Amino acid sequence: MSKDTRISMAVVRRLPKYHRYLGELLRNDIDRISSKELSDRIGFTASQIRQDLNCFGDFGQQGYGYNVKELHNEISKILGLDKQYNTIIIGAGNIGQAVANYSSFEKYGFHLKAIFDKNPKLVGIKIRDIEIQDVDELSSYLDNNKVDIAIICVPRLHAQSVADILVSKGIKGIWNFAPTDLQVPDDVIIENVHLSESLMTLSYRLNERNLFED
Amino acid sequence: MSKDTRISMAVVRRLPKYHRYLGELLRNDIDRISSKELSDRIGFTASQIRQDLNCFGDFGQQGYGYNVKELHNEISKILGLDKQYNTIIIGAGNIGQAVANYSSFEKYGFHLKAIFDKNPKLVGIKIRDIEIQDVDELSSYLDNNKVDIAIICVPRLHAQSVADILVSKGIKGIWNFAPTDLQVPDDVIIENVHLSESLMTLSYRLNERNLFED
DNA sequence: TAGATTGTTAATCGATTAACAATC
DNA sequence: TAGATTGTTAATCGATTAACAATC
């Protein structure tokens, strides 16, 4: 499934979109597609699609195009969706609860195993059959359970100290919803979801085109 | 506050981060900063920082650097955070409720005015003093109220039809949390938050570096 | 075989970084 | 004034697009 040379983040961030569009083609019982047709749907150029896919292998066939099922499957593997991940959520406020309830991540192999919060009013409450634990138990939980991805949903000022605990226990993947940039060693991967940055980008663009006049 | 020539999205997506770091400097009573010092904190090169800021004006001073308060204020204006926006949420499920409860958007000028859902069990419930309305009332609400930004939090299959209503009523800004790409006219701005794409990028990177072995 | 479409190289475009004169 | 640091131009780097030979 692999060629060499480092894959750029620009390419990586397009992969989930390929995965999504191919999944949709599958649901519509379309079993082959050319880079040109895919381009028309997904909005990347055909040339870019072929370049992107060729980073990972020769999935197409001249004169034919790509087999949808096969390509979807390959991209799943490239994204690591053929594996299972144990996840935990730290912070059971608005965002934490929303993510906890987002059960559709399960189908991609992400299994929520535990939820932590420091608010005594939340500790003990169950979300999707998982009882919220006191965050003081986070360390000992990590000593006794394999966790692949930790999801940080605590307020900004607590995020770094939570990250420090996670790192000290060997967690290598952090999905960070706190509006701050976490300091972690190089071998720990952070994926940020900065909602206010996204919203600010939207307001910038509204004003830029003079679409917004008060 | 402006120079000419179109600003690239690469620059635009860095602006909220400048805003955030400058806000932090302000809170720490630091009143001037050089591009070099800011570079050390924010992680962009000093050269890039100067280039970015110069897209919008000459905010610095040779030999001195930048005045933190002034620059923060300028970037606020550039991002349109000096204005007020009426927002509505369509879809009061997990994500919709989480965003509705996220009151910190208010301080940037984003005011939640209405929430819609089609589930009769949710209609009538109040979130932050706002009563969830039946989505059938969306059209007439838009006829009678000025809305600047609509936040789509409905399931994938309903997202496009909601977007169609919004567009037909003249909404120009959509913050889309549904895992799909919406079709809208060129003058409507869409900002997507695709959580599963973000999570898949994380799992890709975990596997890429062989940090994840099952 | 002829037509279609890939994989891949080369050309272009855009974004980042380096360098330095201008100037506070 | 001398030192610091900007604004801005030029150089480099990387990503996208175009082109086309290879081949199914």
Side-chain angles (χ1 to χ4, degrees), chain A residues 32-44:
Chain A
R32 70 179 253 201
I33 193 149
S34 67
S35 57
K36 175 68 175 63
E37 287 172 281
L38 188 54
S39 166
D40 292 339
R41 292 167 182 259
I42 209 170
F44 309 146

Side-chain angles (χ1 to χ4, degrees), chain A:
Chain A
M1 129 189 162
S2 55
K3 295 196 172 182
D4 261 355
T5 63
R6 190 135 203 85
I7 308 300
S8 77
M9 274 307 283
V11 174
V12 174
R13 296 221 173 266
R14 284 191 291 269
L15 293 174
K17 208 170 165 188
Y18 290 122
H19 186 266
R20 176 155 55 85
Y21 275 80
L22 289 163
E24 202 154 314
L25 292 171
L26 264 187
R27 281 198 297 273
N28 295 332
D29 294 314
I30 295 169
D31 49 48
R32 70 179 253 201
I33 193 149
S34 67
S35 57
K36 175 68 175 63
E37 287 172 281
L38 188 54
S39 166
D40 292 339
R41 292 167 182 259
I42 209 170
F44 309 146
T45 64
S47 194
Q48 180 165 68
I49 292 170
R50 294 201 300 279
Q51 288 269 30
D52 284 353
L53 298 178
N54 266 84
C55 295
F56 302 99
D58 294 1
F59 303 131
Q61 195 167 85
Q62 282 97 333
Y64 175 88
Y66 300 86
N67 178 292
V68 173
K69 194 169 181 179
E70 190 189 302
L71 186 57
H72 183 259
N73 196 43
E74 288 292 347
I75 293 178
S76 292
K77 282 196 281 181
I78 292 164
L79 286 168
L81 303 183
D82 55 334
K83 304 207 174 113
Q84 306 300 313
Y85 303 85
N86 290 337
T87 72
I88 61 170
I89 291 175
I90 304 98
N94 302 316
I95 287 290
Q97 290 192 25
V99 174
N101 278 309
Y102 217 85
S103 53
S104 60
F105 294 143
E106 297 280 336
K107 71 168 180 283
Y108 298 121
F110 302 96
H111 305 292
L112 181 61
K113 295 294 184 177
I115 308 172
F116 298 88
D117 201 286
K118 72 170 204 177
N119 183 346
K121 287 178 186 156
L122 289 173
V123 173
I125 289 176
K126 278 190 176 182
I127 301 179
R128 285 212 284 130
D129 268 338
I130 298 165
E131 201 168 289
I132 300 175
Q133 302 176 55
D134 193 291
V135 76
D136 288 342
E137 288 164 49
L138 176 59
S139 280
S140 67
Y141 179 89
L142 293 171
D143 286 334
N144 297 309
N145 296 275
K146 178 174 173 287
V147 172
D148 304 302
I149 294 171
I151 308 171
I152 297 184
C153 300
V154 300
R156 176 174 62 85
L157 290 170
H158 297 111
Q160 184 62 54
S161 64
V162 168
D164 292 342
I165 294 171
L166 297 170
V167 166
S168 76
K169 297 297 179 181
I171 301 295
K172 298 300 182 201
I174 296 177
W175 202 20
N176 176 44
F177 285 77
T180 187
D181 296 312
L182 301 171
Q183 305 301 316
V184 298
D186 279 350
D187 66 339
V188 176
I189 294 175
I190 302 245
E191 171 73 17
N192 289 308
V193 178
H194 285 336
L195 294 182
S196 31
E197 295 190 8
S198 173
L199 184 54
M200 288 178 187
T201 303
L202 177 57
S203 74
Y204 172 87
R205 292 196 284 158
L206 277 173
N207 285 282
E208 178 192 36
R209 298 218 220 154
N210 288 20
L211 292 177
F212 184 81
E213 292 309 328
D214 219 5

Side-chain angles (χ1 to χ4, degrees), chain B residues 8 10 14 45 47-48 50-51 61-63:
Chain B
S8 78
R14 283 192 292 268
T45 63
S47 195
Q48 180 164 67
R50 294 200 301 278
Q51 287 271 28
Q61 195 168 83
Q62 282 96 331

Side-chain angles (χ1 to χ4, degrees), chain B residues 4-213:
Chain B
D4 261 354
T5 64
R6 190 136 203 85
I7 309 300
S8 78
M9 274 307 284
V11 174
V12 174
R13 296 220 173 266
R14 283 192 292 268
L15 293 174
K17 209 169 162 187
Y18 290 122
H19 186 265
R20 177 154 56 84
Y21 275 80
L22 289 163
E24 203 154 313
L25 292 172
L26 264 188
R27 280 198 298 273
N28 295 333
D29 294 314
I30 295 169
D31 48 48
R32 71 180 250 205
I33 193 149
S34 68
S35 57
K36 175 69 176 62
E37 287 173 280
L38 189 53
S39 167
D40 292 339
R41 292 169 183 258
I42 208 170
F44 309 147
T45 63
S47 195
Q48 180 164 67
I49 292 170
R50 294 200 301 278
Q51 287 271 28
D52 283 353
L53 298 178
N54 267 83
C55 294
F56 301 99
D58 294 358
F59 303 132
Q61 195 168 83
Q62 282 96 331
Y64 174 88
Y66 300 87
N67 179 293
V68 172
K69 193 168 182 179
E70 189 189 303
L71 186 57
H72 183 259
N73 196 42
E74 288 292 346
I75 292 179
S76 292
K77 282 196 280 181
I78 291 165
L79 286 168
L81 303 181
D82 55 334
K83 305 207 174 115
Q84 305 301 312
Y85 303 85
N86 290 338
T87 73
I88 62 171
I89 291 175
I90 305 99
N94 301 317
I95 289 289
Q97 289 192 27
V99 174
N101 278 310
Y102 217 88
S103 53
S104 60
F105 295 143
E106 298 280 337
K107 72 170 179 283
Y108 298 121
F110 302 96
H111 304 291
L112 181 61
K113 294 294 184 177
I115 308 173
F116 299 87
D117 200 287
K118 72 170 202 177
N119 182 348
K121 287 177 185 157
L122 290 173
V123 173
I125 290 176
K126 278 191 175 179
I127 301 179
R128 285 211 285 132
D129 268 338
I130 297 164
E131 201 169 288
I132 299 175
Q133 301 176 57
D134 193 293
V135 75
D136 289 342
E137 288 164 48
L138 176 59
S139 280
S140 67
Y141 180 89
L142 293 171
D143 286 334
N144 297 310
N145 296 275
K146 176 173 175 288
V147 171
D148 305 301
I149 294 172
I151 307 171
I152 296 184
C153 299
V154 301
R156 175 174 62 86
L157 290 170
H158 297 110
Q160 184 62 56
S161 64
V162 167
D164 292 342
I165 294 170
L166 297 170
V167 167
S168 75
K169 297 297 180 182
I171 300 296
K172 298 300 182 203
I174 296 178
W175 202 20
N176 175 45
F177 285 76
T180 188
D181 296 312
L182 301 171
Q183 306 300 316
V184 298
D186 279 352
D187 67 339
V188 176
I189 293 175
I190 302 243
E191 171 73 15
N192 289 308
V193 178
H194 286 336
L195 293 183
S196 32
E197 296 190 7
S198 173
L199 184 54
M200 287 177 188
T201 303
L202 177 57
S203 73
Y204 171 88
R205 292 196 284 158
L206 277 174
N207 285 281
E208 177 192 37
R209 298 218 219 156
N210 288 19
L211 292 178
F212 184 80
E213 292 310 327

